[in-house]
Amino acid sequence: MLEIRNLEVAYGSIKALHGISLKVPEKSIVTLIGGNGAGKSTTLRTISGLVKARSGQVIYDGQDITNMPPHEIVGRHLCHVPEGRMVFANLTVLENLKMGAYLRKDKVGIAEDIEYSFNVFPRLKERISQHAGTLSGGEQQMLAIARALMSKPRCLMLDEPSLGIAPILVRAIFKQIVAINQERGITILLVEQNANLALGISHYGYVLETGKVLLEDDAKTLRQNPQVREAYLGD
């Protein structure tokens, strides 16, 4: 469904990605792991059009979407939940969800998807009229994912969903990421520093280091790799 071919990205004179290539099959969960500065977030930001590629291609659903404007990429049902959640703090939970559906005109479908979001994250229904800025970090992450679901994504990119969140909520969020993938068949590209957790729910994984793909394999094998265990799993 999603393929990156020899992607190069630079911030001024500093190269962030050195010709990386990766594939995300339809209805799979693929994870990118690596340390700070490895290029994980840059990869997602380039796919979603927020950062311009210097060279290489982003192929989505058979179409070249390299450097396409972000709103057009969302219109193709490829959605990005950014690091730091980026909820609209002064809007309520419900208003945030409606913002996620800004490209849609199907009122019945929008209402159904709001209800689905509340089924996925019941805590949001309890907070429906609260301003998003008053929610806990975990609740804001739930809202960011639910807001992305409102765009009816076929492919969902999640950047560090566990960052700064209480462990009990992290487990709840990851459980629902799996449910979204299985129930709705949504393809997921996951960037996550908690490598053990990410590889535990993924089908395939890539290890990025200084803007290059260092290793790739199915998630179970990668989880057992001594190099990965020492560097990212704390063994």
Side-chain angles (χ1 to χ4, degrees):
M1 173 168 269
L2 180 64
E3 184 179 357
I4 292 174
R5 299 175 185 166
N6 302 314
L7 198 64
E8 291 201 3
V9 176
Y11 297 105
S13 60
I14 300 167
K15 258 194 176 182
L17 297 180
H18 300 263
I20 72 165
S21 296
L22 57 90
K23 292 180 179 180
V24 184
E26 188 170 6
K27 298 184 180 178
S28 68
I29 301 178
V30 173
T31 194
L32 307 182
I33 61 172
N36 286 331
K40 306 184 303 297
S41 292
T42 296
T43 300
L44 298 199
R45 289 170 64 81
T46 307
I47 292 168
S48 61
L50 296 168
V51 171
K52 297 294 182 191
R54 180 174 280 184
S55 63
Q57 288 180 296
V58 178
I59 309 295
Y60 172 66
D61 206 17
Q63 303 291 314
D64 189 336
I65 63 164
T66 317
N67 295 335
M68 190 177 277
H71 68 277
E72 289 186 21
I73 291 172
V74 173
R76 290 170 180 249
H77 305 287
L78 171 57
C79 202
H80 180 183
V81 179
E83 182 182 349
R85 304 180 277 277
M86 303 293 179
V87 295
F88 300 108
N90 294 326
L91 299 182
T92 66
V93 165
L94 183 58
E95 287 166 342
N96 267 270
L97 292 177
K98 288 180 176 177
M99 285 295 288
Y102 79 103
L103 287 176
R104 296 173 60 183
K105 301 286 186 279
D106 56 321
K107 287 186 178 179
V108 173
I110 290 170
E112 287 172 352
D113 284 339
I114 287 172
E115 205 49 48
Y116 174 73
S117 296
F118 290 151
N119 287 335
V120 174
F121 299 117
R123 200 176 283 226
L124 294 181
K125 191 163 189 175
E126 298 167 15
R127 311 278 193 270
I128 189 168
S129 300
Q130 263 184 246
H131 286 110
T134 67
L135 302 179
S136 72
E139 289 164 351
Q140 287 187 11
Q141 186 63 61
M142 292 174 183
L143 179 57
I145 295 171
R147 182 183 59 187
L149 290 175
M150 292 302 300
S151 70
K152 288 198 92 63
R154 293 182 58 223
C155 182
L156 189 59
M157 300 190 295
L158 303 171
D159 195 351
E160 300 284 9
S162 77
L163 197 65
I165 294 173
I168 191 165
L169 285 184
V170 170
R171 284 191 289 275
I173 287 167
F174 270 70
K175 184 180 177 185
Q176 293 308 329
I177 290 170
V178 173
I180 290 163
N181 168 252
Q182 292 178 349
E183 290 169 10
R184 291 219 155 179
I186 295 173
T187 306
I188 292 173
L189 177 57
L190 174 65
V191 160
E192 180 54 62
Q193 285 204 324
N194 188 330
N196 203 30
L197 198 56
L199 290 172
I201 69 163
S202 298
H203 302 104
Y204 202 83
Y206 292 83
V207 179
L208 265 57
E209 197 171 274
T210 58
K212 298 173 185 171
V213 174
L214 182 69
L215 290 166
E216 63 169 285
D217 213 327
D218 67 80
K220 192 174 180 181
T221 306
L222 212 51
R223 211 175 176 189
Q224 300 305 320
N225 183 300
Q227 199 175 347
V228 173
R229 292 183 73 85
E230 185 179 351
Y232 303 109
L233 304 182
D235 287 5

